[in-house]
Amino acid sequence: MTLQVYFNAGASLWPEYEPLLRDGFKVAGIKVNLFDQTDDPASVDYMIYAPRSKADDLSAFTNVRLIQSLWAGPDLLIANPTLTQPLARMVDDDMKLGMIDYVMGHALWHHLNMPLFSQAKPGEWLSEHFPGLPRDRTVAILGVGQLGMACARALAVHGFRVLGWSRSQKSDDLVSCHAGPDGLSHVLGEADIVVLLTPHTPQTENLIRSETIALMKPGASLINPGRGALVNDADLLAALDSGQISYATLDAFRSEPLPADNPYWTHPRVQVTPHVASETRAETAVQIVVENLRRAEAGETVRFLVDRGLSY
Amino acid sequence: MTLQVYFNAGASLWPEYEPLLRDGFKVAGIKVNLFDQTDDPASVDYMIYAPRSKADDLSAFTNVRLIQSLWAGPDLLIANPTLTQPLARMVDDDMKLGMIDYVMGHALWHHLNMPLFSQAKPGEWLSEHFPGLPRDRTVAILGVGQLGMACARALAVHGFRVLGWSRSQKSDDLVSCHAGPDGLSHVLGEADIVVLLTPHTPQTENLIRSETIALMKPGASLINPGRGALVNDADLLAALDSGQISYATLDAFRSEPLPADNPYWTHPRVQVTPHVASETRAETAVQIVVENLRRAEAGETVRFLVDRGLSY
């Protein structure tokens, strides 16, 4: 049987993914018709999908057995009311490595007092602000799922004291794990650097807002490689102005590209990065796609299936 | 017997070191007279020393059996013609950790394309400059001694491809090691990021100059947490202007504090840090001092004794 596989993930990705997907299915011995345009949605068996794609109304794809997302975060997909088919999100090892790079690099930047040194005036020799060692610095990772725990462990191996927080209690030999509202208070009160890697759900919307910012150590810093909606922007800007938060490195925003008139661009205590903390990489993503379609077709358990009740 | 120990290392360090040293000698069962002023240099048995101290003329200390430096780099000590006594330099584990932090943090900053993103104008969303993964990035450490090899190994564990270069051939299971002029050409030609951690000797003076910069990959970047004299400043500035070197993070300078009119302060492709890459930390340094004095007194091998022939 030949499977009908529709690549519904943005025209710019097609040239990169098409040859890799054809090779991948061939190696796996799966016969497919692979196409990036269709006039017959009901004939499609599997969909490879990224949000903000060609066809965001998915209601006509009535026979799709699995939608395999190319994105790690399922929030934008779940917000689409026409998406009712089984949905698997993307978790690939290279995405993990990229996220570890981003979190480690920016945590070290904060730790090394670079927000201060990078703004020194000519001749301003601030050697008395010699940084401490990682063992004296506490980093909190809010959201210790696949990506978050990988980052937390990398920071712990480097020598930082690392606290993890998540909806449900996790445990790890390197990371001190906490859960629930009491856990959040504890973790925010201890951390010098707070990293946001929770999925965006109704429960985590505005996770960083006046009430939670007030629980933070005065002068702590923030890194958001997660989702823009985790942060109440007005509250964060107020905390940066008051000094309650000393610095913020932000990669995810409620509106992207971040508009030129957004105050984050010019705030002296904010570093904007253009949503580059991590990205699905075609070579490894294709392996996940092919393996998940093989599993679905063989009746085996599909990996990283999204539980709509939890929003991830 | 009571040893006469002279702390000749700058008045500002005395309040921090004195109680730690007294405790350390007591725990080790070594009886000492410890003082930071002396009218009788010939009576001194051991000296704890840092350059630019109270007494830089050391010729009257005729009976000193060991000068234990608080500094890792022996170059400023060796340049002192009155220093003829046996000299041990400081190598402590916390200094290593601090240097690893600095090198890892700034290497990641370069790797993550932050020199570009940090200078984006409002609205300039440069997401196409998505960084690669560490395995696709080569870092060269020039100088794989105690500190350099520790940094090289940490970068390799993180996933970077790491090349080491030194005067004499080293070997390591994680770092590809090279030596001599041919080794230098090879390493400079491969590296995306070059880190300077060689000691300053007549042979390494101006290690980075027009001739060696021309061997580098176009657009490679430089990190200098070592010594200012390793770099020909005019040649580096010319290479930054031409783009042969894309960015430089500099912590050590020929004149420190770096004068306000030095062009490094305002160059758009230079990050100055105020000699904070690493510093001797009193708690761990005192352990080294006490142990080395114990060894010297017991006739055992003193650790990190400086070989004047090699300048380190």
Side-chain angles (χ1 to χ4, degrees):
Chain A
M1 200 187 87
T2 300
L3 302 177
Q4 308 298 317
V5 179
Y6 174 37
F7 187 83
N8 180 20
S12 65
L13 295 178
W14 178 240
E16 185 180 10
Y17 274 81
E18 187 193 3
L20 294 168
L21 283 166
R22 292 200 189 283
D23 276 2
F25 284 120
K26 196 169 172 184
V27 167
I30 302 172
K31 288 176 72 174
V32 298
N33 282 334
L34 179 67
F35 44 86
D36 72 329
Q37 303 285 341
T38 180
D39 296 324
D40 185 10
S43 72
V44 173
D45 297 310
Y46 290 95
M47 186 188 297
I48 299 162
Y49 182 63
R52 302 168 181 159
S53 298
K54 295 176 296 264
D56 275 340
D57 180 353
L58 305 176
S59 47
F61 295 87
T62 47
N63 295 309
V64 159
R65 299 201 277 283
L66 178 69
I67 295 181
Q68 172 66 56
S69 170
L70 295 181
W71 285 29
D75 38 323
L76 269 172
L77 294 82
I78 288 177
N80 180 344
T82 71
L83 192 159
T84 56
Q85 301 88 343
L87 170 71
R89 66 203 179 87
M90 177 55 59
V91 176
D92 83 72
D93 286 342
D94 279 357
M95 187 189 289
K96 246 184 238 179
L97 292 178
M99 187 59 87
I100 288 171
D101 264 11
Y102 186 94
V103 171
M104 179 78 88
H106 289 283
L108 281 169
W109 187 258
H110 292 204
H111 165 64
L112 289 167
N113 291 338
M114 289 308 301
L116 180 71
F117 296 144
S118 67
Q119 293 178 44
K121 293 178 189 66
E124 219 186 338
W125 189 257
L126 303 168
S127 57
E128 72 276 19
H129 292 276
F130 186 69
L133 287 173
R135 64 174 177 247
D136 303 318
R137 201 75 83 161
T138 300
V139 185
I141 308 281
L142 307 191
V144 276
Q146 292 280 335
L147 284 175
M149 188 60 94
C151 294
R153 290 179 59 88
L155 290 164
V157 166
H158 183 78
F160 288 108
R161 178 173 176 245
V162 184
L163 308 179
W165 178 80
S166 48
R167 183 183 49 78
S168 60
Q169 181 72 44
K170 303 281 171 73
S171 78
D172 188 85
D173 56 333
L174 296 177
V175 178
S176 165
C177 294
H178 303 264
D182 289 351
L184 184 62
S185 300
H186 172 74
V187 159
L188 288 178
E190 292 279 312
D192 301 298
I193 302 169
V194 174
V195 182
L196 304 184
L197 281 168
T198 62
H200 173 217
T201 67
Q203 291 76 41
T204 63
E205 172 96 21
N206 291 322
L207 179 64
I208 299 300
R209 60 186 184 277
S210 297
E211 292 86 337
T212 50
I213 289 170
L215 300 172
M216 289 169 71
K217 249 168 116 162
S221 68
L222 185 73
I223 301 176
N224 185 11
R227 288 284 179 260
L230 302 176
V231 174
N232 179 306
D233 294 317
D235 290 358
L236 174 57
L237 286 163
L240 287 161
D241 288 336
S242 78
Q244 169 65 7
I245 294 181
S246 62
Y247 198 78
T249 299
L250 306 174
D251 189 56
F253 305 91
R254 287 172 188 265
S255 172
E256 293 181 7
L258 187 66
D261 62 355
N262 187 293
Y264 284 143
W265 281 113
T266 51
H267 199 289
R269 287 183 287 284
V270 173
Q271 174 67 62
V272 168
T273 60
H275 205 134
V276 290
S278 197
E279 185 179 77
T280 303
R281 293 169 205 258
E283 291 77 7
T284 44
V286 160
Q287 297 171 26
I288 306 279
V289 169
V290 169
E291 170 64 7
N292 251 0
L293 263 60
R294 188 199 65 72
R295 286 174 180 238
E297 202 54 21
E300 298 176 18
T301 306
V302 167
R303 299 185 71 199
F304 308 118
L305 205 62
V306 174
D307 180 335
R308 308 298 171 96
L310 295 176
S311 299
Y312 65 96
Chain B
M1 199 187 89
T2 300
L3 303 177
Q4 308 299 316
V5 180
Y6 173 37
F7 187 84
N8 181 22
S12 65
L13 296 178
W14 178 240
E16 183 180 11
Y17 273 82
E18 189 194 2
L20 294 168
L21 282 166
R22 292 199 187 284
D23 277 2
F25 284 120
K26 195 170 174 184
V27 168
I30 301 172
K31 287 176 73 174
V32 298
N33 283 332
L34 179 67
F35 43 86
D36 72 329
Q37 303 285 340
T38 180
D39 296 324
D40 184 10
S43 71
V44 173
D45 298 309
Y46 291 95
M47 187 189 296
I48 298 162
Y49 183 61
R52 301 168 182 157
S53 298
K54 295 175 296 261
D56 275 338
D57 181 350
L58 305 176
S59 47
F61 296 87
T62 47
N63 294 309
V64 158
R65 299 202 277 284
L66 178 69
I67 295 181
Q68 172 66 56
S69 171
L70 296 181
W71 284 29
D75 39 323
L76 267 172
L77 294 83
I78 287 177
N80 181 343
T82 70
L83 193 160
T84 56
Q85 300 89 343
L87 171 69
R89 65 202 179 90
M90 177 53 60
V91 176
D92 85 71
D93 286 343
D94 279 357
M95 187 190 288
K96 249 186 238 179
L97 292 178
M99 187 59 86
I100 289 172
D101 262 12
Y102 186 93
V103 171
M104 178 78 89
H106 289 283
L108 281 169
W109 187 257
H110 293 205
H111 164 65
L112 290 167
N113 291 337
M114 289 309 300
L116 181 70
F117 296 145
S118 67
Q119 293 179 45
K121 293 179 186 66
E124 219 185 337
W125 189 256
L126 303 168
S127 57
E128 72 276 18
H129 294 276
F130 185 69
L133 287 173
R135 64 173 176 247
D136 303 318
R137 200 76 83 162
T138 301
V139 184
I141 308 281
L142 307 191
V144 277
Q146 292 279 334
L147 282 175
M149 189 60 93
C151 294
R153 290 179 60 88
L155 290 164
V157 166
H158 183 78
F160 287 108
R161 176 171 176 246
V162 184
L163 308 179
W165 178 80
S166 48
R167 185 182 47 78
S168 60
Q169 181 70 45
K170 303 282 172 73
S171 78
D172 188 83
D173 56 333
L174 295 176
V175 178
S176 165
C177 293
H178 304 263
D182 289 351
L184 184 62
S185 300
H186 172 74
V187 160
L188 289 178
E190 292 278 311
D192 301 299
I193 302 169
V194 174
V195 182
L196 304 183
L197 280 169
T198 63
H200 173 217
T201 68
Q203 290 75 40
T204 63
E205 172 94 22
N206 290 322
L207 179 64
I208 299 300
R209 60 185 184 278
S210 297
E211 293 84 340
T212 49
I213 288 170
L215 299 171
M216 290 169 69
K217 252 168 116 162
S221 68
L222 185 72
I223 301 176
N224 185 11
R227 287 283 178 264
L230 302 176
V231 174
N232 179 307
D233 294 317
D235 290 358
L236 174 56
L237 286 162
L240 287 162
D241 289 336
S242 77
Q244 169 65 7
I245 294 181
S246 61
Y247 198 79
T249 299
L250 306 174
D251 189 56
F253 306 91
R254 286 173 189 266
S255 172
E256 295 182 5
L258 187 66
D261 61 355
N262 187 293
Y264 285 142
W265 282 113
T266 50
H267 199 289
R269 288 183 286 284
V270 173
Q271 174 67 63
V272 168
T273 60
H275 205 133
V276 290
S278 197
E279 185 179 76
T280 303
R281 293 168 205 259
E283 290 77 6
T284 45
V286 160
Q287 297 171 25
I288 306 279
V289 170
V290 170
E291 170 64 8
N292 251 359
L293 263 61
R294 187 199 64 73
R295 286 175 179 235
E297 203 53 24
E300 299 175 19
T301 307
V302 167
R303 299 184 72 200
F304 310 116
L305 206 61
V306 173
D307 179 335
R308 308 298 170 94
L310 295 175
S311 298
Y312 66 95

